[in-house]
Amino acid sequence: FDIVFIPKTIAKQLVLVVALQTGLVTIQQIWSIFYSLFSNFSSRSRLIRQLRRQQNKADTQDEWMDLAERIDNIQGNDVWRTQPDCPLYERERISARVDDFLHLMRRRDIFELMFTLRSGIHRNKFGLLHEGLFTKAMAGTKVLVETYHNVVCAALDYVCDATVPPAEEPIPTEARLAFFNETRHAYGRTALLLSGGAA
């Protein structure tokens, strides 16, 4: 069985691919033009554009967030944020973990809370950092994700500040520092990376 190089067939296939790609780009451009023209006639789109212009001129983060919440309300993203069901993360496991942390803080069980935090928090556990959770709404992500992060922060504050009941042995300062050092490695820290262009 010999393989024969057929330049005419390859050239036809390349022309077909280029034509399909060009057609797709053209359709996308026509759609974006149609959408921008249509949005000029829609009062909803005009209001959103006006609110975004106000956001660009906002002096404080609170003003910006108020405007973002109004935009989300108009677009229906506020409803998306409050609905816990979403295929982008594991809702049941996140809810269970939040309940565990709250239960341990109510029981004032610092040792068990430290153990659970050390073994149970990782930066992208349960899909918490999925990009789709942070690109839909302007005012934030799913309320459950925000609740999880707030409860983790409250649990860390609790471990830092809580006193041990008199009947129990106190936690040495070195042990708490070691715990926070290990937790910092597991949970991570946000970093801002800047890349300079060639001058």
Side-chain angles (χ1 to χ4, degrees):
F1 181 71
D2 291 331
I3 297 176
V4 180
F5 182 67
I6 307 173
K8 286 184 179 181
T9 305
I10 293 173
K12 287 179 185 178
Q13 290 174 349
L14 283 174
V15 168
L16 180 63
V17 167
V18 168
L20 288 173
Q21 187 66 31
T22 305
L24 182 63
V25 169
T26 304
I27 289 171
Q28 289 174 341
Q29 289 176 343
I30 290 171
W31 174 253
S32 67
I33 291 168
F34 174 75
Y35 182 77
S36 60
L37 286 174
F38 177 73
S39 66
N40 287 331
F41 299 112
S42 165
S43 60
R44 178 176 165 237
S45 296
R46 282 194 304 270
L47 179 59
I48 290 171
R49 243 189 345 271
Q50 177 187 4
L51 292 172
R52 286 194 174 148
R53 278 192 296 263
Q54 290 176 8
Q55 264 186 325
N56 291 334
K57 296 176 183 176
D59 293 328
T60 65
Q61 184 177 358
D62 289 336
E63 287 177 41
W64 192 94
M65 282 300 291
D66 289 340
L67 293 166
E69 287 173 359
R70 288 178 58 193
I71 292 170
D72 282 346
N73 188 300
I74 293 168
Q75 294 177 328
N77 292 335
D78 56 338
V79 175
W80 174 83
R81 289 185 66 213
T82 57
Q83 293 173 339
D85 291 329
C86 183
L88 302 177
Y89 64 88
E90 301 175 47
R91 180 187 63 84
E92 295 85 12
R93 294 180 72 189
I94 294 171
S95 296
R97 189 52 60 122
V98 167
D99 292 342
D100 290 345
F101 292 145
L102 292 173
H103 176 71
L104 291 170
M105 284 190 285
R106 277 190 222 108
R107 276 190 19 213
R108 302 181 53 86
D109 191 345
I110 298 173
F111 291 106
E112 185 65 27
L113 182 60
M114 287 173 67
F115 177 77
T116 305
L117 284 167
R118 186 180 293 129
S119 65
I121 61 172
H122 300 286
R123 200 142 172 87
N124 195 19
K125 195 162 188 165
F126 312 129
L128 287 166
L129 292 182
H130 192 285
E131 181 183 346
L133 295 171
F134 300 95
T135 56
K136 177 122 173 120
M138 294 183 76
T141 184
K142 291 281 197 178
V143 172
L144 181 60
V145 173
E146 292 176 357
T147 301
Y148 174 83
H149 288 296
N150 291 337
V151 168
V152 166
C153 291
L156 291 170
D157 286 341
Y158 184 80
V159 168
C160 179
D161 299 331
T163 56
V164 178
E168 294 183 20
E169 187 176 322
I171 301 172
T173 304
E174 299 82 25
R176 287 189 199 218
L177 288 174
F179 161 76
F180 281 107
N181 192 33
E182 292 168 8
T183 304
R184 183 188 70 205
H185 289 295
Y187 200 54
R189 293 185 287 184
T190 302
L192 173 62
L193 302 177
L194 303 173
S195 174

